[in-house]
Amino acid sequence: MKDDIGNPIFTDFKVDESLEWQMSRAEKYCLMGLMKELTPDVAIEIGTYKGGSLQVISSYSQQVYSIDISDSPSKFLSPKFANVEFVVGDSVHCLTNIFQKIEDDGKRLDFILVDGDHTRRGVYRDLEAIFNFPHKHSITILMHDSFNPECRKGIRTFLESHPQFVAYAELDYVTGSYWHNGTYREMWGGLALVKYDPKNQGQELYINQSQRQLFESTYLHSAHLVKDRMAFLFPLKRKIFRSLGLKNKGDIYHDF
Ligand SMILES: C[S@@+](CC[C@H](N)C(=O)[O-])C[C@H]1O[C@@H](n2cnc3c(N)ncnc32)[C@H](O)[C@@H]1O
């Protein structure tokens, strides 16, 4: 049997198995529980991919905006989700317009899943775009892959430098792991949870990292010690594969 940290799950939520879902079992249960509790008026998902997480967000929300830099998801997922508006583009450039539209429509944004660009800079920029808008209500923000060292750094450095509206922050709301996809000891998964509250001003910020020791000891045995230092070579690798007409199997988020 093939190792799979995402399946099986046992739930009364009718999971559509045809929609690939990039989360572990614990993360799936967490998202389902959180959505059931929040029942958002409006939710935003950054990183649609093949619709796995979107099926849950869509099911519990009145309205959803799902953003992806690729136009593939909107093509094959549109017929499945009547309450979802698919937005194609870099999340950083789309978010402000969506926030404004929600406000102009007199609606309330309750939830954001950040699961798009997982680089340190990418996550930082997503959070910056979220916090730069003068939201009137509190928002629950869930960030996937907080166990990935670069992604975690992006979240942590942003929060440390922008403590103003952070009412609660936990980087290990759900713990990640070495991923199961054959990549040599790469740390992925994990969910960080941040509660944004415009009323929260001047309070001291505490960033919870309830599995910090696990994170740090796992890191010492991980591929990231070398790999993250070589990250500047990745665009070159992509270029070489493209010019040779080859599909880079590790590059699953391009041309899907
Ligand atoms: C990990 S997948 C999302 C998985 C999905 N949330 C799930 O759990 O089933 C990441 C997605 O983010 C998209 N993405 C990457 N960078 C992005 C960006 N800057 N803006 C919007 N989407 C981006 C990729 O195209 C990819 O489809």
Side-chain angles (χ1 to χ4, degrees):
M1 191 194 286
K2 219 174 131 213
D3 284 344
D4 185 350
I5 63 169
N7 285 308
I9 53 170
F10 304 98
T11 166
D12 55 7
F13 181 88
K14 294 251 172 309
V15 177
D16 182 341
E17 301 291 349
S18 71
L19 301 173
E20 194 179 321
W21 191 351
Q22 295 266 300
M23 288 187 181
S24 71
R25 286 183 285 265
E27 292 158 2
K28 289 176 179 177
Y29 284 125
C30 174
L31 184 64
M32 290 188 280
L34 198 60
M35 287 296 97
K36 200 170 177 178
E37 181 64 24
L38 290 176
T39 56
D41 184 15
V42 182
I44 296 175
E45 175 180 60
I46 302 173
T48 317
Y49 195 46
K50 296 187 180 175
S53 50
L54 180 59
Q55 64 185 302
V56 181
I57 301 171
S58 158
S59 172
Y60 289 107
S61 308
Q62 291 296 318
Q63 190 190 359
V64 183
Y65 292 89
S66 189
I67 310 169
D68 205 289
I69 204 159
S70 161
D71 64 356
S72 301
S74 57
K75 286 185 197 151
F76 60 83
L77 294 174
S78 289
K80 280 188 182 274
F81 297 106
N83 65 342
V84 178
E85 185 168 323
F86 291 91
V87 181
V88 179
D90 186 337
S91 50
V92 174
H93 302 134
C94 307
L95 281 167
T96 309
N97 287 344
I98 297 174
F99 295 149
Q100 193 58 57
K101 170 99 175 46
I102 294 168
E103 206 167 293
D104 293 347
D105 291 346
K107 297 192 169 156
R108 184 189 161 113
L109 174 63
D110 291 310
F111 175 76
I112 305 175
L113 173 66
V114 180
D115 195 11
D117 180 348
H118 293 86
T119 61
R120 186 192 325 187
R121 187 161 170 269
V123 180
Y124 189 101
R125 286 165 76 223
D126 275 340
L127 283 170
E128 196 170 45
I130 294 168
F131 276 68
N132 274 348
F133 191 86
H135 303 278
K136 295 198 176 89
H137 308 284
S138 61
I139 306 167
T140 301
I141 305 166
L142 201 60
M143 278 161 287
H144 193 219
D145 291 316
S146 57
F147 204 59
N148 176 267
E150 284 299 293
C151 185
R152 190 179 185 95
K153 227 177 265 174
I155 299 170
R156 198 168 44 75
T157 52
F158 178 84
L159 295 176
E160 283 168 355
S161 54
H162 298 77
Q164 198 182 18
F165 301 126
V166 183
Y168 175 76
E170 162 65 285
L171 301 191
D172 300 302
Y173 194 72
V174 173
T175 309
S177 63
Y178 286 135
W179 209 239
H180 63 299
N181 58 0
T183 46
Y184 179 68
R185 289 191 183 168
E186 279 188 31
M187 297 159 73
W188 289 104
L191 288 170
L193 189 139
V194 170
K195 188 92 183 174
Y196 168 99
D197 186 348
K199 292 196 198 90
N200 188 83
Q201 305 215 11
Q203 267 140 312
E204 205 179 319
L205 169 72
Y206 182 74
I207 302 175
N208 293 275
Q209 299 188 61
S210 56
Q211 291 299 319
R212 185 180 184 157
Q213 289 186 349
L214 175 73
F215 172 80
E216 286 174 354
S217 56
T218 309
Y219 179 71
L220 290 178
H221 298 274
S222 76
H224 300 283
L225 283 173
V226 176
K227 195 170 178 179
D228 290 350
R229 288 175 177 78
M230 300 290 162
F232 67 95
L233 291 173
F234 293 166
L236 184 65
K237 186 178 167 194
R238 193 172 295 143
K239 236 182 190 170
I240 293 171
F241 270 77
R242 283 243 170 92
S243 66
L244 295 174
L246 298 172
K247 204 164 168 83
N248 181 0
K249 270 200 230 155
D251 220 354
I252 57 168
Y253 298 126
H254 290 263
D255 308 325
F256 58 90

